[in-house]
Amino acid sequence: MDEVTFKSDTVLSDVHLYTPNQRHLMVRLNSTGQPVFLSHFKLVWSQDSQIDLRTEGGDYRDVPTEETLAGAGSPGSPPGSSCSSEGSPLQASTDATGQEGAGAQLDEDGDLDVVRRPRAASDSEPAWCPRDKVHPMILTQEEDDILGDETQENSTYDIIRIEHTMATPLDDVGKQVWRGALFLADYILFQWDLFQGRTVLELGAGMGFTSIIAATVAQTVYCTDVGADLLAMCQRNIALNSHLTASGGSVVKVRELDWLKDNLCTDRDVPFSWSEEDISDLYNHTTIMLAAEVFYDDELTDALFKTLFRLAHKLKNACTAILSVEKSLTHIPTPPVCRHCRYLFQTEEMSKAHQGTWPTASQLNFTLSHLDVTCEAYDHFHSSLHQLEKHRDGQLRFTVEPVEASFPQYLVYERIRQLELWKIFVEPVT
């Protein structure tokens, strides 16, 4: 698994990049024959302390932020961010000055003698594997106790267990875990009061990560996507993390919601269909809609905004839609480019010879039409936001607002500056 070459229609998950060298247990094959892996995502908070923070009016400054995570040197810190003070040149120089006196150290020729840190602590052997050499650690079923030991070291409320795939065709990217879901989950944990006791609808929930986090505070979460196999995997993840939601009495309902269809599926013979009670509860009580990193295809982006528009007109209450997007999300480029050095190669054989891998869904592309690096899927998403805000039908008003990404980081992953959050406030026209 160290040097894998993927086909041109393969999308590789970033899960092993933002949780570098973490071990991933292969647990089974899903119904379509894709390997399913179990990964642990660590929360840097405890449920009890979070409740105390809210009820006692605590200070958010005590909650670990991206900067404090980066400096902590913990196993979940971003790559290249954990550097001990005793290994830094400044510290070494200070120590040497303290031992030799205040004067500068000179060599026998009178030149300044620069104190260098020991070889063992140099960057030649970093604590993190370089980005171009990060590979998932694949375990077999017999090694399940290894992951079990890791879980026992932490509170069960600090670990989210997610089954997912790592490489799929573009049509199946919902079976992977994407960074935008963790980013949106951070915001949910930060804006606890906004979700407290609410009914939440997530569109394109994928493996259910964001819905699971929402269910730690919301009363009811409708976790929706399309595809029986995907929804079955999502339902499995809900069950794996039921300990996070059971104490608060929250309910997570996995349901099919196809953006390309105008109506909800009520056929009882179809898995994950809607009951009349579900539909009534959805329309009567939903006040928050979520979508995490689903804007990678222009047609699907159009379909999602049409679905959001249609549902907003059926809801009895004003609602807020919160969307996460990674600015570099685009279609898979053709011909592909090596992720590591941007070398352009035309064939899979050239890719193998170059020791590179085929690109993920997250790519910034240089296009001849623009003669510049562009993110066409992001541009289309931004245009859709603008069109929605301009829409006037005399019934609802849509107000779009960016969210400042300065809120704390509650999950251990690499938060990058390309991640964005957008809010859409939906209110009746008065």
Side-chain angles (χ1 to χ4, degrees):
M1 293 294 294
D2 284 350
E3 298 291 346
V4 181
T5 301
F6 295 94
K7 297 182 179 180
S8 59
D9 63 346
T10 298
V11 181
L12 177 63
S13 172
D14 283 343
V15 66
H16 70 287
L17 292 179
Y18 51 76
T19 55
N21 295 333
Q22 190 178 96
R23 287 171 289 187
H24 307 276
L25 173 67
M26 179 177 168
V27 290
R28 58 188 173 84
L29 297 178
N30 61 18
S31 62
T32 60
Q34 298 165 337
V36 176
F37 299 88
L38 175 65
S39 296
H40 290 171
F41 296 86
K42 183 172 173 55
L43 283 160
V44 291
W45 66 293
S46 68
Q47 200 170 51
D48 293 337
S49 64
Q50 181 73 3
I51 294 173
D52 293 340
L53 181 67
R54 298 289 177 167
T55 57
E56 298 176 8
D59 193 339
Y60 289 122
R61 290 173 294 182
D62 295 332
V63 181
T65 62
E66 181 181 4
E67 287 75 16
T68 59
L69 282 173
S74 65
S77 303
S81 62
S82 57
C83 180
S84 63
S85 60
E86 64 185 40
S88 68
L90 178 60
Q91 182 68 36
S93 177
T94 303
D95 294 343
T97 303
Q99 295 174 1
E100 300 296 335
Q105 300 182 52
L106 305 177
D107 63 14
E108 57 185 10
D109 296 325
D111 299 322
L112 182 64
D113 189 8
V114 179
V115 178
R116 302 185 182 278
R117 56 183 167 178
R119 176 94 179 160
S122 68
D123 289 334
S124 60
E125 297 178 1
W128 287 93
C129 191
R131 288 299 295 267
D132 60 341
K133 286 296 181 182
V134 171
H135 307 293
M137 293 185 182
I138 308 303
L139 307 181
T140 61
Q141 188 67 47
E142 289 73 18
E143 297 175 285
D144 191 17
D145 59 319
I146 297 177
L147 286 178
D149 292 342
E150 291 180 355
T151 305
Q152 292 173 6
E153 294 176 359
N154 303 283
S155 166
T156 55
Y157 289 99
D158 295 337
I159 297 295
I160 299 176
R161 304 173 68 200
I162 297 292
E163 290 189 359
H164 61 96
T165 58
M166 283 191 179
T168 66
L170 187 61
D171 292 342
D172 272 346
V173 292
K175 296 177 182 177
Q176 303 185 29
V177 179
W178 298 101
R179 191 159 23 207
L182 282 76
F183 187 55
L184 182 51
D186 275 341
Y187 185 74
I188 294 171
L189 294 172
F190 174 61
Q191 291 288 349
W192 188 280
D193 295 336
L194 177 63
F195 293 84
Q196 185 74 46
R198 301 296 186 91
T199 297
V200 177
L201 168 66
E202 183 178 8
L203 302 169
M207 294 294 91
F209 191 98
T210 305
S211 286
I212 291 169
I213 293 296
T216 63
V217 286
Q219 181 63 38
T220 304
V221 177
Y222 287 98
C223 178
T224 70
D225 213 309
V226 64
D229 185 57
L230 182 150
L231 292 172
M233 294 178 66
C234 182
Q235 183 71 69
R236 167 70 174 163
N237 287 329
I238 302 299
L240 284 173
N241 297 280
S242 58
H243 59 282
L244 293 172
T245 61
S247 60
S250 300
V251 177
V252 184
K253 298 183 179 182
V254 179
R255 296 291 183 266
E256 178 180 300
L257 199 160
D258 191 340
W259 306 341
L260 301 177
K261 297 180 180 178
D262 293 336
N263 299 312
L264 302 176
C265 178
T266 57
D267 187 347
R268 295 184 178 181
D269 295 330
V270 176
F272 306 102
S273 60
W274 296 75
S275 68
E276 294 299 329
E277 292 77 13
D278 290 337
I279 296 175
S280 176
D281 179 58
L282 176 74
Y283 293 153
N284 290 334
H285 299 108
T286 298
T287 56
I288 297 176
M289 290 191 280
L290 305 173
E293 204 160 324
V294 295
F295 308 100
Y296 56 90
D297 179 270
D298 292 352
E299 291 185 6
L300 289 179
T301 296
D302 291 340
L304 181 137
F305 274 96
K306 289 179 181 178
T307 299
L308 190 153
F309 180 85
R310 183 173 64 251
L311 290 172
H313 280 78
K314 293 184 178 181
L315 299 182
K316 292 192 175 180
N317 299 302
C319 72
T320 301
I322 308 173
L323 317 176
S324 77
V325 61
E326 186 173 333
K327 190 173 182 179
S328 58
L329 277 180
T330 65
H331 297 288
I332 296 296
T334 303
V337 180
C338 176
R339 278 206 321 275
H340 311 318
C341 65
R342 304 303 180 194
Y343 175 82
L344 189 70
F345 39 78
Q346 303 289 338
T347 66
E348 185 174 353
E349 289 70 23
M350 292 176 67
S351 168
K352 186 174 182 180
H354 183 62
Q355 300 273 329
T357 62
W358 294 79
T360 68
S362 301
Q363 289 289 338
L364 293 163
N365 296 329
F366 182 89
T367 62
L368 294 177
S369 58
H370 297 88
L371 291 179
D372 197 1
V373 176
T374 62
C375 308
E376 293 185 0
Y378 172 81
D379 292 340
H380 187 78
F381 162 76
H382 201 273
S383 174
S384 299
L385 283 176
H386 185 60
Q387 292 177 18
L388 184 64
E389 189 170 35
K390 290 195 307 179
H391 181 81
R392 298 290 184 271
D393 63 2
Q395 299 181 44
L396 295 178
R397 177 174 59 251
F398 296 86
T399 305
V400 178
E401 178 181 293
V403 177
E404 180 65 34
S406 59
F407 49 89
Q409 183 171 340
Y410 294 89
L411 287 149
V412 177
Y413 69 103
E414 181 188 5
R415 184 188 285 189
I416 60 176
R417 60 184 177 86
Q418 286 83 6
L419 290 168
E420 296 181 359
L421 276 186
W422 292 83
K423 274 187 177 181
I424 303 173
F425 300 98
V426 185
E427 298 173 316
V429 175
T430 56

